[in-house]
Amino acid sequence: MQSNKMKARIKAGEPVFGVSVMYPSPQIVEMIGEHGFDWVMIDCEHGSMSPESAELMCLAAERRGMTPIVRPETNRPEVLMRYLDRGAMGLQVPHVNTKDEAIAAVRATKYYPLGDRGLARGQRSTGFGITGGSIAGYTEWSNRETLVCVQIEEKEGLGNLDQILTVDGVDVFFIGPTDLSQSLGYPGQRDHPIVKKAIDEAFAKIHKAGKASGTPGGADEVPAHVKLGVLYHYTHIPTFMTYYGRHFLKQAGR
Ligand code: 3PY
Ligand code: MG
């Protein structure tokens, strides 16, 4: 059973860099690994992912030494378990708006005594039960190594941030600028002064509480995020394509 290198780095206060993929492709995950990224976010909330594809992409991430984190479509125990059992080493849970919702995400991710994730023997995450290790050893390992990230991306979540920050077992408090901009009444305008102020204040609160923060960002934004102390970063596959596609066509004279 492997250790979660990405979680260890965040705990040590070091930034980690990943790429989100919302299309079913283990090969794209492998290419991301060849670039040297720390982790991959397998996005089952948006895009066209199936649980079967997510499982193969978890395998591809492991094969290339990256941590597979899945974003489930919703914060429900049976959905979270579906990805953990298939090999996700952590979950990035969308639209967490209250303390109770954050507690529910932790409890669905962890086994006794930290939670009540459904326990079984034969799935990938237990090594299919083949090596015959103790169940107690497995649950301790899983509770220790599995990462929980909650997304604060609505006005309601921002309003409840102080309470959400008190929840034990959350490793990363993530600010989702796109949904937040919509929830604040400025869809897609993450640089609108009102949206920016809300995001800056949220980061300040998270850091003041001594907790790790996360947010997505492209190459132009990541230096400022690192400087601010954000630890959990990712960019998107379409961003890779946009940059090089534009560059190529410009070079070609279009
Ligand atoms: C958002 O910005 O809404 C996100 O969910 C980030 O991926
Ligand atoms: Mg979102």
Side-chain angles (χ1 to χ4, degrees), residues 50-229:
S50 69
E52 292 79 4
S53 309
E55 180 164 4
L56 294 178
M57 290 165 77
C58 287
L59 277 176
E62 276 172 25
R63 166 81 178 81
R64 300 288 169 179
M66 293 184 295
T67 303
I69 302 293
V70 168
R71 174 157 69 180
E73 45 273 58
T74 184
N75 184 10
R76 292 173 56 88
E78 68 275 21
V79 175
L80 272 53
M81 183 173 68
R82 177 193 292 166
Y83 297 110
L84 294 165
D85 278 7
R86 284 173 160 88
M89 288 301 290
L91 298 173
Q92 181 178 319
V93 183
H95 299 281
V96 172
N97 286 325
T98 65
K99 181 177 176 179
D100 283 349
E101 287 172 11
I103 291 172
V106 173
R107 291 197 63 81
T109 303
K110 308 286 178 173
Y111 294 110
Y112 177 87
L114 306 178
D116 42 25
R117 172 179 161 191
L119 184 59
R121 245 183 201 284
Q123 76 278 23
R124 169 180 304 291
S125 59
T126 65
F128 305 101
I130 289 170
T131 52
S134 79
I135 275 281
Y138 161 71
T139 56
E140 271 167 37
W141 165 82
S142 178
N143 281 354
R144 187 178 60 245
E145 300 298 336
T146 307
L147 177 139
V148 180
C149 167
V150 295
Q151 290 195 197
I152 313 300
E153 52 184 345
E154 288 180 44
K155 215 169 163 178
E156 187 187 356
L158 271 190
N160 290 327
L161 184 55
D162 287 326
Q163 293 87 47
I164 295 172
L165 281 166
T166 65
V167 176
D168 285 336
V170 175
D171 302 293
V172 178
F173 297 85
F174 177 97
I175 303 298
T178 309
D179 272 308
L180 197 55
S181 65
Q182 167 169 263
S183 179
L184 292 171
Y186 304 95
Q189 296 181 55
R190 58 189 289 177
D191 289 326
H192 187 285
I194 290 178
V195 179
K196 223 174 151 323
K197 184 167 175 283
I199 291 175
D200 290 346
E201 285 173 3
F203 281 136
K205 261 190 191 174
I206 297 167
H207 298 160
K208 192 163 172 229
K211 307 283 181 167
S213 64
T215 203
D220 295 337
E221 293 140 335
V222 73
H225 292 159
V226 171
K227 203 164 160 214
L228 200 63

